[in-house]
């Protein structure tokens, strides 16, 4: 008799209403896979991109990349994990929105006992994103000043703390005074309310005209040119997300006009392609968390079957910090 589990599945792309809470078969892991019984699942903007079709997937499919739980079964070739291990993951095939998830073992790392399942689910994709942004895409050095958009979000609050730990002065943009206070309390050096202040002018004032060597922008279309205008000559624009929509129709001549700028559109999979690189990135993140230099801020919790409400909240900018989906 086939064992069934509950999971979120899509039969079509669209709004939050297309997510269905259904029964699916529990699959056995292949030779290089592990089956994780989820204890908590993380919510990210990339989930919305796959739900609405901005990022294409072969329908029907699940959603979610980030979770934490206990290893329930392992494939014959898996050597670094054991049944019963506490683990977390932030990469792999779609399908984390489920009571259990089967995924390649090289995407899964052991979770230290001092880090809860909810913290693990809230930090893997977001924390590994900050790791590759700050330590690989552009390796930050103490004393530098940077601009980071959406500083009070799940990625942003980790970035605030990681920047402080590195001795980097992070200017964070937010949409309200309350979110600005949250970013400052997590380690941002200065904040800019983009709804009431001129971001470029404030960056110019805060840097005494120097501007910044790198901008980290997960917002996308709405902040593209504004971000370019905050860069020093030969600065790097890191466009790593599309919360306001994708950047399209880029005129490369603008990069020349604005100071021979560089631009990159990175994705986490390119920075942690192997088990060793995934483990190294996760270890750096876990060490900062266990040392108390990064606190994982969980601003909202929703039951997994109420994920439509969570998507509404995230898309409308009503969330702060990370959002966790709990499993009954």
């Amino acid at each position: 008799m086939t064992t069934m589990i509950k999971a979120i599945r899509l039969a079509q792309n669209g709004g939050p209403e297309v997510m269905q809470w259904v029964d699916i078969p529990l699959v056995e892991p292949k030779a290089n896979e592990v089956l994780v019984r989820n204890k908590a699942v993380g919510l990210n903007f990339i989930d919305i991109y796959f739900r609405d079709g901005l990022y294409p997937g072969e329908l029907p499919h699940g959603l979610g990349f980030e979770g934490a739980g206990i290893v329930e079964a392992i494939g014959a070739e898996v050597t670094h994990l054991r049944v019963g291990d506490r683990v977390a993951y932030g990469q792999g095939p779609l399908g984390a929105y489920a009571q259990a998830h089967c995924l390649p073992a090289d995407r899964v790392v052991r979770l230290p006992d001092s880090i809860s399942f909810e913290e693990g689910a809230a930090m893997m994709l977001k924390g590994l994103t900050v790791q590759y942004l700050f330590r690989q895409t552009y390796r930050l050095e103490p004393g530098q000043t940077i601009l980071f958009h959406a500083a009070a979000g799940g990625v942003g609050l980790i970035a605030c703390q990681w920047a402080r730990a590195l001795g980097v002065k992070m200017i964070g943009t937010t949409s309200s005074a309350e979110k600005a206070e949250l970013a400052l309390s997590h380690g941002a050096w200065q904040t800019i309310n983009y709804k009431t202040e001129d971001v470029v002018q404030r960056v110019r004032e805060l840097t005494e005209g120097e501007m910044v060597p790198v901008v980290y922008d997960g917002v996308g279309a709405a902040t593209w040119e504004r971000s370019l205008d905050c860069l020093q000559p030969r600065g790097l624009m890191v466009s790593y997300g599309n919360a306001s929509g994708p950047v399209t129709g880029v005129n490369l001549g603008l990069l020349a006009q604005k100071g021979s700028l560089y631009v990159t559109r990175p994705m986490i999979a390119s920075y942690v392609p192997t088990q060793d690189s995934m483990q190294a990135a996760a270890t750096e993140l876990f060490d900062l968390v266990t040392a108390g230099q990064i606190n994982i801020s969980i601003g909202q919790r929703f039951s997994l079957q109420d994920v439509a409400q969570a998507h509404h909240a995230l898309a409308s900018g009503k969330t702060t910090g990370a959002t966790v989906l709990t499993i009954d």
Side-chain angles (χ1 to χ4, degrees):
M1 183 175 175
T2 302
T3 302
M4 306 297 284
I5 60 169
K6 287 287 189 179
I8 294 292
R9 284 292 183 270
L10 310 182
Q12 61 183 350
N13 294 120
E17 70 281 354
V18 302
M19 294 184 289
Q20 302 296 313
W21 183 238
V22 299
D23 291 310
I24 64 169
L26 181 66
V27 300
E28 289 295 320
K30 297 176 183 176
N32 62 345
E33 293 180 337
V34 295
L35 177 66
V36 178
R37 178 66 64 166
N38 286 328
K39 296 296 185 180
V41 175
L43 177 71
N44 297 279
F45 256 102
I46 194 171
D47 304 345
I48 293 177
Y49 304 156
F50 275 100
R51 189 205 72 216
D52 64 19
L54 175 64
Y55 289 0
E58 185 177 345
L59 294 165
H61 63 67
L63 282 179
F65 286 98
E66 182 179 49
I70 296 174
V71 175
E72 191 164 284
I74 63 172
E77 297 176 5
V78 177
T79 59
H80 71 291
L81 297 169
R82 296 288 183 270
V83 172
D85 282 349
R86 301 174 76 255
V87 295
Y89 57 90
Q91 274 284 288
L94 287 166
Y97 287 14
Q99 292 175 325
H101 189 31
C102 194
L103 66 164
D106 65 2
R107 304 294 84 192
V108 180
V109 295
R110 282 198 183 93
L111 188 67
D113 291 341
S114 58
I115 299 176
S116 72
F117 289 121
E118 286 195 357
E119 289 172 325
M123 68 190 267
M124 282 299 290
L125 183 54
K126 301 170 191 67
L128 292 177
T129 295
V130 179
Q131 195 281 336
Y132 86 75
L133 291 176
F134 282 8
R135 312 305 291 149
Q136 300 188 69
T137 306
Y138 183 101
R139 191 171 180 87
L140 294 175
E141 299 294 340
Q144 289 182 311
T145 302
I146 65 172
L147 179 65
F148 199 102
H149 288 293
V155 175
L157 291 183
I158 294 175
C160 289
Q161 298 172 84
W162 207 316
R164 178 173 59 187
L166 292 171
V168 169
K169 296 193 292 185
M170 178 175 140
I171 303 170
T173 69
T174 66
S175 61
S176 69
E178 293 76 18
K179 289 187 175 184
E181 285 300 318
L182 188 61
L184 289 168
S185 71
H186 281 72
W189 173 60
Q190 298 282 348
T191 59
I192 301 171
N193 185 332
Y194 65 81
K195 289 192 173 181
T196 61
E197 298 179 279
D198 183 318
V199 173
V200 179
Q201 181 58 33
R202 283 294 291 138
V203 169
R204 184 172 288 111
E205 293 169 358
L206 291 169
T207 61
E208 298 182 345
E210 290 290 321
M211 310 310 278
V212 296
V214 59
V215 174
Y216 296 101
D217 189 342
V219 176
T223 49
W224 167 251
E225 286 209 37
R226 190 184 311 164
S227 293
L228 296 180
D229 287 337
C230 291
L231 285 165
Q232 299 169 356
R234 296 170 60 189
L236 175 64
M237 167 66 174
V238 183
S239 178
Y240 70 94
N242 317 292
S244 68
V247 177
T248 60
V250 174
N251 176 6
L252 291 179
L254 278 177
L255 303 180
Q257 295 168 21
K258 295 179 182 294
S260 299
L261 303 178
Y262 294 86
V263 63
T264 183
R265 180 58 175 89
M267 292 186 68
I268 188 172
S270 302
Y271 287 87
V272 288
T274 65
Q275 180 185 323
D276 287 346
S277 60
M278 173 68 77
Q279 185 62 62
T283 297
E284 188 172 6
L285 172 64
F286 292 161
D287 286 350
L288 287 167
V289 173
T290 54
Q293 292 183 288
I294 291 178
N295 173 60
I296 304 303
S297 176
I298 300 173
Q300 305 75 216
R301 291 172 174 83
F302 295 85
S303 177
L304 180 56
Q305 55 262 51
D306 296 327
V307 67
Q309 298 175 31
H311 274 228
H312 276 298
L314 181 62
S316 61
K318 295 179 181 176
T319 62
T320 57
T323 300
V324 166
L325 305 173
T326 60
I327 299 174
D328 299 330

